[in-house]
Amino acid sequence: MTKNHILFTLLSCLALLAGACRRSPETPPPVWATEEDDGRFDLPDIQQAGELIALTLSGPDTYYDYRGRHLGVQYLVCEQFARHLGVRLRMEVCRDTAEMLARLETGDADLAAVRLHADSAQAGWPVGADKPLLEQTLADWYRPAIYDSMVKEEKQLLTQRRVRRRVYAPMLSKGVISHYDGLFKLYGRRIGWDWRLLAAQCYQESTFDPEARSWAGAQGLMQIMPATADRLGLPRDQLNDPEQSIAAATRYLAELEGKLHDVADREERRSLALASYNGGLHHIRDAMRLAERDGCNPHRWSDVRTYVLRLSQPQYYQDTLVHNGYMRGQETADYVDKIRLRYQQYRRTAR
């Protein structure tokens, strides 16, 4: 190819590019926005994003975790409001009211599901200043009857009547605790637990009923939550299978023991693992930190138990050492106490 040919080719390409870049007079310029952007992220934007971001404080009336289920009347009301808007709810816990209001001011969230005044005719929730449509929609939607119905629903959920199970005697016959003793022995050996302790835990969970089901969704002999089953490799259609339930529960107990490896005494570690099985390891760690701060033994259940109970009091669950907020501690304390007492009974009557 000659130099003239190369030059001609380059000039032709430049001409084409220039033509492509030029616009005819009738071609309108690109439009990047159909209306002036006022910087607001209001209700239409929230619905388009598909998520309502709500802030809250940890507490029995606001928001807490109970055996894998989120509860608190303010949370339950906010969940209903999100459904009304047709979006999912993302709840984020703040340390105090000052942090909550500061995050609202910077547009970090849409509203705060915390009642700041006692007027039951209104939700009383702070809404971001740039969200007048959201604020008006909340005011139009809220009725005191909604709050009252959520109070009633939570009370119903927390009663034992919501655990469907058939009650069996704690012993089938002398020396025989249940139909599942062989499974307790097999899987107890695998994790180094006395099979009678597993049996005592099973009685507390389900009274040996493989069809037991709690309001929160826990199922089977060992009352395993579906999400926990997923993590442990237990198919959800096998939650009511006695052997699979016991096998998964012992894997979970072994996992909890491993996360409590700093507790040297095996008996104390087992008690703390049982408490974690019921109330969540994160809450038990909170109680352990408080016990240590106050000069108690964080590796002894009797000391930690005191702080598990105290985690239902604001001066404790709002403490800076507490990372996971409010806990229904009485239930976890009773859970461990009853298992330990039944275990002692089983040790005297079964071998």
Side-chain angles (χ1 to χ4, degrees):
M1 183 180 289
T2 65
K3 291 182 178 180
N4 286 338
H5 281 119
I6 294 172
L7 181 61
F8 178 79
T9 301
L10 289 172
L11 289 173
S12 299
C13 290
L14 289 171
L16 288 171
L17 288 171
C21 293
R22 288 195 300 268
R23 295 181 180 274
S24 61
E26 63 273 11
T27 302
V31 178
W32 302 109
T34 56
E35 59 184 40
E36 185 179 354
D37 184 3
D38 61 5
R40 291 179 176 176
F41 194 86
D42 207 345
L43 181 59
D45 307 289
I46 293 168
Q47 291 177 315
Q48 184 175 5
E51 182 178 66
L52 178 71
I53 303 175
L55 305 176
T56 192
L57 304 174
S58 179
D61 183 58
T62 48
Y63 179 79
Y64 62 96
D65 176 80
Y66 176 72
R67 302 202 71 178
R69 170 71 182 267
H70 299 313
L71 289 178
V73 175
Q74 299 298 326
Y75 166 76
L76 294 174
V77 173
C78 195
E79 191 176 45
Q80 291 295 315
F81 181 55
R83 288 175 185 168
H84 173 73
L85 299 181
V87 299
R88 62 186 175 273
L89 174 64
R90 171 150 61 101
M91 190 70 84
E92 298 186 0
V93 180
C94 296
R95 172 61 61 182
D96 51 34
T97 304
E99 179 192 345
M100 185 178 67
L101 295 177
R103 290 183 63 183
L104 276 182
E105 187 176 350
T106 59
D108 198 27
D110 303 314
L111 57 79
V114 174
R115 181 174 284 184
L116 294 186
H117 58 76
D119 184 359
S120 63
Q122 303 177 38
W125 295 344
V127 178
D130 62 337
K131 298 170 173 52
L133 293 177
L134 177 64
E135 185 173 25
Q136 186 60 53
T137 301
L138 174 62
D140 293 341
W141 171 81
Y142 180 79
R143 296 290 183 276
I146 296 173
Y147 180 87
D148 295 340
S149 67
M150 292 300 100
V151 171
K152 183 178 179 180
E153 178 177 324
E154 185 178 57
K155 285 182 178 178
Q156 289 177 335
L157 289 174
L158 293 173
T159 62
Q160 287 298 314
R161 292 191 300 275
R162 297 299 292 234
V163 179
R164 300 194 298 273
R165 59 189 179 188
R166 298 184 295 272
V167 178
Y168 292 97
M171 295 285 291
L172 284 179
S173 61
K174 186 176 180 179
V176 179
I177 296 173
S178 74
H179 297 294
Y180 312 106
D181 289 3
L183 294 174
F184 293 134
K185 291 174 183 177
L186 172 63
Y187 289 98
R189 282 194 298 270
R190 293 187 179 183
I191 65 169
W193 280 48
D194 188 326
W195 71 275
R196 295 165 295 187
L197 180 57
L198 291 177
Q201 183 191 14
C202 184
Y203 184 87
Q204 189 61 35
E205 288 287 354
S206 68
T207 61
F208 305 126
D209 181 3
E211 299 301 321
R213 183 184 180 91
S214 81
W215 60 267
Q219 292 177 238
L221 283 177
M222 304 302 284
Q223 289 293 281
I224 296 174
M225 291 290 291
T228 304
D230 294 343
R231 189 171 53 75
L232 294 170
L234 171 61
R236 294 195 179 192
D237 61 359
Q238 295 182 28
L239 278 166
N240 296 109
D241 180 276
E243 180 167 4
Q244 294 301 320
S245 182
I246 294 170
T250 52
R251 288 198 297 274
Y252 187 31
L253 288 167
E255 177 185 301
L256 290 169
E257 268 206 281
K259 292 179 179 179
L260 290 161
H261 62 86
D262 51 311
V263 181
D265 185 281
R266 188 75 192 276
E267 184 176 351
E268 297 294 348
R269 190 161 70 247
R270 286 171 179 159
S271 292
L272 291 166
L274 288 170
S276 300
Y277 190 104
N278 176 265
L281 178 62
H282 50 292
H283 285 307
I284 302 306
R285 282 294 186 188
D286 282 341
M288 292 170 72
R289 280 190 290 272
L290 290 172
E292 184 173 28
R293 181 205 56 193
D294 291 350
C296 299
N297 187 346
H299 297 165
R300 186 167 58 211
W301 166 245
S302 61
D303 286 6
V304 176
R305 182 185 186 280
T306 299
Y307 291 89
V308 166
L309 292 171
R310 289 176 178 175
L311 280 172
S312 63
Q313 302 172 28
Q315 63 266 38
Y316 289 96
Y317 68 71
Q318 292 175 359
D319 193 284
T320 55
L321 285 176
V322 174
H323 301 164
N324 302 282
Y326 172 84
M327 178 189 187
R328 290 177 61 87
Q330 186 66 59
E331 294 188 18
T332 297
D334 290 346
Y335 176 85
V336 177
D337 293 347
K338 289 177 180 178
I339 290 173
R340 284 163 56 120
L341 178 60
R342 192 172 300 280
Y343 172 49
Q344 295 305 318
Q345 296 169 347
Y346 285 166
R347 289 181 65 183
R348 293 193 295 269
T349 55
R351 295 285 181 258

